[in-house]
């Protein structure tokens, strides 16, 4: 048995390689932009360019696409990007002013490019679950000696899982981790019987359970990583300060834009918070908007997935403890994935 093996790593490491190239290619440019950025109270931007990721992390902003063409008279342009390695170069070149990134990627960009982007808030929290076709598996410990297929190598799913396994006394080699099946193929692999256990985020969990029900297949949620995280936090909490969930999606702003137009950033965040609340309150309508703006899901699937996606807005300053708690996990297992250190205090927009 392999020690937390990785299956086929080539495709899974592509995004990381592209990110490294982006840091090298644009760091000088980003530093130059930083030097030119000064706080300019009352300044008005010519436009606001907002980039979201295709898929669950972008769904909660669909309402903005329909109802926020302007902010205080300034046009808002929307762009849907396929992945972080697509949105990142656009952020570093200031083609996108406000964007969506995973927390570890945002931290690494901050550390690697002289603070060229800052965290403006968190828009999505933990939504990772282990699904199985074996009804006898109901805990992490019961996965010993088995293979667990994981969506998200080199990202939050992998390192959070490794952390939780270690916290539960499960040693390397006792569970085989396999990253060879893409996230969008895990549900089908479970249903076909090709695999027995899989760690997947939303909306893939919702899709897997819905398809299982339609096809009279038995698929179960064996472990919620959110619940496991909360157990560890409760056990380690000081002064009852339990961090209830971990962030998975971060709103970031280029530092130059935040410094020049802080009031517009604040107004944007208010509207983003409203959009998130709208999505949570009215998933059917939000689902239609998700399909309309090609954010990665059909309306019916999005409507079912949204209630399980843990959308919610927390400002950067308020989210700092949660962000640092998660980034500390990356620091433990893969320091380079966040740039070798927790980001400094000015990473968090005020």
């Amino acid at each position: 048995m392999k020690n937390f093996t990785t299956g086929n790593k080539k495709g899974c490491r592509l995004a990381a390689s592209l990110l490294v190239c982006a840091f090298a290619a644009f760091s000088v440019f980003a530093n130059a932009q930083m030097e030119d950025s000064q706080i300019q109270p009352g300044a008005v931007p010519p436009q606001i360019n907002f980039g979201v990721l295709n898929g669950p992390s972008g769904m909660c902003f669909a309402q903005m696409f329909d109802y926020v063409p302007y902010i205080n008279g300034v046009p808002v342009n929307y762009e849907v990007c396929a992945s972080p390695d697509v949105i990142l170069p656009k952020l570093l070149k200031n083609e996108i002013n406000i964007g969506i990134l995973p927390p570890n990627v945002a931290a690494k960009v901050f550390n690697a490019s002289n603070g060229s982007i800052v965290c403006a808030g968190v828009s999505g929290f933990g939504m990772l679950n282990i699904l199985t076709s074996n009804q006898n598996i109901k805990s992490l410990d019961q996965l010993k000696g088995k293979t667990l297929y994981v969506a998200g190598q080199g990202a939050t799913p992998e390192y959070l899982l490794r952390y939780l396994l270690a916290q539960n006394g499960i040693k390397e080699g006792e569970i085989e981790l396999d990253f060879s099946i893409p996230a969008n193929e895990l549900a089908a692999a479970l249903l076909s019987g090709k695999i027995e256990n899989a760690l997947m985020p939303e909306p893939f969990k919702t899709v897997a359970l819905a398809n299982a029900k339609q096809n009279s297949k038995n698929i179960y949620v064996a472990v919620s990583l959110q619940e496991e995280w909360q157990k560890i936090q409760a056990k380690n909490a000081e002064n009852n300060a339990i961090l209830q969930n971990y962030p998975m999606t971060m709103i970031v702003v280029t530092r130059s834009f935040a410094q020049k137009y802080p009031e517009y950033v604040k107004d944007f965040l208010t509207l983003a918070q409203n959009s998130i609340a709208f999505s949570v309150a009215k998933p059917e309508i939000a689902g239609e908007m998700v399909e309309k703006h090609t954010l990665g899901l059909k309306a019916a699937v999005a409507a079912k997935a949204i209630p399980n996606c843990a959308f919610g807005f927390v400002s950067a300053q308020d989210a700092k403890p949660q962000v640092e708690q998660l980034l500390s996990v990356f620091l433990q297992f893969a320091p380079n994935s966040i740039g070798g250190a927790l980001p400094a205090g000015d990473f968090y927009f005020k």
Side-chain angles (χ1 to χ4, degrees):
M1 183 177 291
K2 306 172 187 176
N3 289 343
F4 287 152
T5 52
T6 59
N8 179 9
K9 297 183 179 180
K10 292 182 180 179
C12 298
R13 294 299 186 193
L14 177 60
S17 300
L18 290 172
L19 290 177
V20 171
C21 292
F23 296 144
F26 296 111
S27 60
V28 173
F29 181 90
N31 291 342
Q33 293 294 318
M34 289 274 296
E35 293 172 0
D36 292 338
S37 300
Q38 301 294 330
I39 298 176
Q40 300 178 17
V44 178
Q47 58 191 11
I48 299 171
N49 298 324
F50 178 38
V52 304
L53 295 174
N54 187 25
S57 62
M59 293 194 303
C60 60
F61 302 106
Q63 188 256 9
M64 293 185 72
F65 281 56
D66 262 3
Y67 292 104
V68 186
Y70 298 92
I71 295 179
N72 296 331
V74 174
V76 182
N77 302 315
Y78 297 90
E79 182 171 352
V80 181
C81 299
S83 60
D85 54 276
V86 174
I87 200 172
L88 176 56
K90 293 177 179 289
L91 280 163
L92 292 177
K93 291 190 294 183
N94 282 324
E95 294 174 2
I96 289 176
N97 313 120
I98 303 173
I100 304 299
L101 288 175
N104 66 300
V105 174
K108 184 166 186 175
V109 175
F110 177 88
N111 285 330
S113 61
N114 197 25
S116 62
I117 66 170
V118 297
C119 167
V122 171
S123 57
F125 294 86
M127 51 179 180
L128 297 168
N129 295 274
I130 295 174
L131 274 64
T132 182
S133 58
N134 185 342
Q135 63 179 338
N136 295 318
I137 297 177
K138 299 178 181 178
S139 68
L140 291 172
D141 189 68
Q142 291 172 330
L143 286 164
K144 287 182 180 179
K146 301 184 182 299
T147 299
L148 176 63
Y149 290 81
V150 181
Q153 185 179 17
T156 300
E158 177 185 357
Y159 297 121
L160 183 66
L161 176 63
R162 291 186 185 278
Y163 169 76
L164 293 174
L165 292 176
Q167 289 291 313
N168 280 273
I170 300 172
K171 300 177 182 179
E172 289 197 13
E174 292 186 310
I175 299 174
E176 181 178 350
L177 305 186
D178 192 307
F179 301 88
S180 63
I181 300 179
N184 61 352
E185 297 178 13
L186 281 174
L190 266 176
L191 290 170
S192 68
K194 179 181 178 180
I195 65 175
E196 186 177 78
N197 311 296
L199 171 63
M200 62 181 74
E202 290 292 351
F204 305 110
K205 176 202 122 183
T206 294
V207 170
L209 293 176
N211 287 343
K213 185 176 181 180
Q214 287 180 349
N215 293 282
S216 300
K217 301 284 187 178
N218 293 320
I219 301 295
Y220 312 91
V221 176
V223 179
S224 161
L225 264 60
Q226 293 69 248
E227 293 179 1
E228 294 298 320
W229 172 264
Q230 290 163 8
K231 290 176 186 177
I232 300 302
Q233 295 306 304
K235 184 171 67 175
N236 298 336
E238 298 179 2
N239 300 321
N240 296 319
I242 300 173
L243 303 179
Q244 293 293 337
N245 207 343
Y246 52 91
M248 285 192 69
T249 307
M250 183 174 285
I251 302 173
V252 299
V253 185
T254 62
R255 183 181 293 277
S256 58
F257 191 87
Q259 288 182 331
K260 291 179 182 178
Y261 314 112
E263 296 307 315
Y264 281 86
V265 174
K266 292 175 183 177
D267 289 342
F268 176 92
L269 293 175
T270 296
L271 293 165
Q273 183 175 4
N274 292 342
S275 180
I276 293 168
F278 176 90
S279 299
V280 172
K282 300 181 179 181
E284 292 83 8
I285 300 175
E288 294 174 359
M289 295 176 178
V290 167
E291 181 173 350
K292 174 182 176 181
H293 297 290
T294 61
L295 286 166
L297 293 176
K298 294 294 185 181
V301 177
K304 290 180 179 179
I306 287 171
N308 302 317
C309 282
F311 293 131
F313 178 82
V314 179
S315 70
Q317 292 295 317
D318 289 341
K320 181 179 178 182
Q322 290 168 295
V323 172
E324 290 191 337
Q325 189 75 6
L326 177 67
L327 294 180
S328 294
V329 171
F330 281 87
L331 199 58
Q332 177 180 348
F333 289 97
N336 290 337
S337 67
I338 66 167
L342 294 178
D346 60 342
F347 176 59
Y348 300 93
F349 176 77
K350 294 183 179 179

